[in-house]
Amino acid sequence: MSNHDIPEENLPERSTAHGEVSVPDENPFADPGLPPHEHRIQDIDEGAARRSERTVALLFTISMLCTVGFIASYFAIPRDKSIFVFPIGHINAMNFALGLTLGVALFCIGAGAVHWARTLMSDVEIADERHAIEADPETKQKVLADFAQGAKESALGRRGLIRTTMFGALALLPLSGVFLLGGLGPKPEEKLRHTLWAKGKLLVNMNTDQPLRPADIPVGSLTFAKPDGLEESDEDFQQQIAKAALMIIRIQPENIKDKRELDWSHDGIVAYSKICTHVGCPISLYEQQTHHVLCPCHQSTFDLSDGGRVLFGPAGHALPQLHIGVNQDGFLEARGDFAEPVGPAFWERGAEK
Ligand code: FES
């Protein structure tokens, strides 16, 4: 499109043949102004306003009930109870109840505030000029006056039901955090010391669910395993696999540096806990040339050819090794449980000293 096609009034300022700047008489982008204000039903019908008020109060009341439910769940539900929730499967009942009640409590406070603002607070449109960042005293006065006006228009003083329930919901909600602090104890004591691994327990491939033979573990591969008999459909699957998850690699026996590691392996096949000894992330990155494994959470690096020793990162101690062998049917089996607690388990190690 050429300038000849554009209406004259829409052309920007331009130079004339004499070098003068000509400015269009009218601003081509004039402020169209605010559309006419439309009243909401709540502005003209006190009955509708009362219904909105009750809705907001109901949401705040549900929030209060959920906070009470959160606290009750914390005390009433056994910590190791699990429930089946579709489509997730078996999950810890207390975690589910705490998450659900806290989530609904927060949602209801938010939804109540939004509904209140949309239906009962003043919705008169205001246009103001942009001003300098540094406010002058008059502007500060105006801001304070606007704030007072806003508080007045929010009807907080007039809508007693909303005020009471909102303060109730906001006052109760922080209690949830106080009770969560109780989750820091008690110490797990012996619960983390033992895993499902035991003498004669077969090593089962996590992906195929099949018992593993030495021939299934080629040099340079990383295989994840679980104890035979542990199924994903089990109620306590997550709890048990969090302790028993195993990674298996095969190293040329002459490349194994640690003598005990050699004794606890089978033909270069070594099995280590998959749970990082820093704060318990599952380790998953294997470098086959160096036999190093890396924890993706904070980059702790362990040498699986040297007793799972920590090479780098915040992990405080080596990965526990599982003593393995081969049974008379040719399957890989455990020769006992881990000799030391898996994962961080700092409380148990401290008690041994
Ligand atoms: S959990 Fe593995 S490095 Fe932190």
Side-chain angles (χ1 to χ4, degrees):
M1 185 190 276
S2 72
N3 280 357
H4 299 291
D5 303 324
I6 303 175
E8 179 68 21
E9 64 272 20
N10 286 352
L11 286 172
E13 64 181 33
R14 57 194 183 276
S15 298
T16 64
H18 309 291
E20 300 159 350
V21 172
S22 84
V23 179
D25 291 343
E26 289 179 23
N27 182 350
F29 305 110
D31 180 359
L34 291 170
H37 179 68
E38 285 181 24
H39 290 291
R40 302 162 300 187
I41 181 73
Q42 290 85 357
D43 296 330
I44 51 182
D45 179 356
E46 185 55 24
R50 289 226 161 273
R51 281 196 294 283
S52 286
E53 183 178 11
R54 284 195 291 273
T55 303
V56 175
L58 178 67
L59 287 165
F60 287 154
T61 305
I62 293 173
S63 172
M64 284 191 271
L65 292 176
C66 285
T67 302
V68 172
F70 177 95
I71 295 167
S73 307
Y74 184 82
F75 287 111
I77 302 177
R79 286 174 190 236
D80 50 3
K81 182 175 174 52
S82 73
I83 53 169
F84 183 82
V85 177
F86 180 82
I88 308 169
H90 286 285
I91 56 173
N92 182 281
M94 182 191 276
N95 286 348
F96 178 71
L98 294 181
L100 185 68
T101 49
L102 185 60
V104 175
L106 287 168
F107 173 80
C108 284
I109 286 182
V114 169
H115 192 62
W116 180 15
R118 287 180 61 88
T119 59
L120 294 173
M121 289 186 188
S122 169
D123 71 336
V124 177
E125 298 84 359
I126 297 171
D128 216 346
E129 293 294 320
R130 184 175 289 196
H131 50 75
I133 293 176
E134 172 77 0
D136 53 42
E138 294 80 43
T139 307
K140 288 178 186 165
Q141 285 289 338
K142 183 172 182 303
V143 168
L144 290 176
D146 285 350
F147 184 79
Q149 178 73 10
K152 192 172 159 206
E153 288 178 351
S154 71
L156 193 60
R158 195 157 57 89
R159 306 272 177 201
L161 189 56
I162 290 182
R163 189 180 60 237
T164 309
T165 52
M166 182 188 73
F167 285 140
L170 290 177
L172 272 184
L173 192 66
L175 278 181
S176 312
V178 173
F179 281 89
L180 280 181
L181 291 177
L184 296 176
K187 288 181 177 179
E189 306 298 348
E190 286 289 292
K191 283 188 199 153
L192 292 177
R193 170 164 285 286
H194 302 293
T195 73
L196 283 185
W197 293 111
K199 188 169 170 42
K201 196 64 113 170
L202 295 182
L203 277 58
V204 171
N205 189 314
M206 284 274 277
N207 295 323
T208 64
D209 249 359
Q210 296 300 313
L212 287 159
R213 293 175 182 273
D216 299 328
I217 317 287
V219 173
S221 68
L222 173 67
T223 305
F224 298 129
K226 63 178 182 174
D228 185 28
L230 180 61
E231 303 297 338
E232 280 196 39
S233 54
D234 291 346
E235 237 181 59
D236 60 348
F237 176 79
Q238 293 297 344
Q239 278 185 25
Q240 295 300 344
I241 200 64
K243 295 190 288 181
L246 200 65
M247 54 185 172
I248 307 169
I249 64 163
R250 189 169 208 155
I251 307 172
Q252 298 294 358
E254 61 271 21
N255 291 336
I256 295 180
K257 300 168 196 153
D258 187 294
K259 177 76 174 71
R260 191 182 84 153
E261 179 172 359
L262 203 52
D263 292 344
W264 281 23
S265 64
H266 173 80
D267 198 18
I269 299 173
V270 293
Y272 279 91
S273 168
K274 182 175 156 57
I275 310 304
C276 181
T277 55
H278 178 217
V279 287
C281 283
I283 295 169
S284 56
L285 305 170
Y286 174 53
E287 212 292 296
Q288 56 175 250
Q289 303 297 326
T290 58
H291 314 301
H292 295 171
V293 284
L294 177 82
C295 175
C297 288
H298 315 100
Q299 282 70 54
S300 283
T301 307
F302 305 86
D303 186 352
L304 297 192
S305 68
D306 192 11
R309 186 166 64 88
V310 182
L311 294 172
F312 172 80
H317 41 261
L319 290 171
Q321 185 181 1
L322 188 72
H323 188 177
I324 58 168
V326 172
N327 69 10
Q328 48 193 329
D329 298 323
F331 290 107
L332 288 167
E333 65 170 17
R335 292 285 155 87
D337 200 352
F338 289 106
E340 53 191 321
V342 298
F346 44 84
W347 47 85
E348 298 189 6
R349 289 168 201 272
E352 283 167 0
K353 284 178 189 164

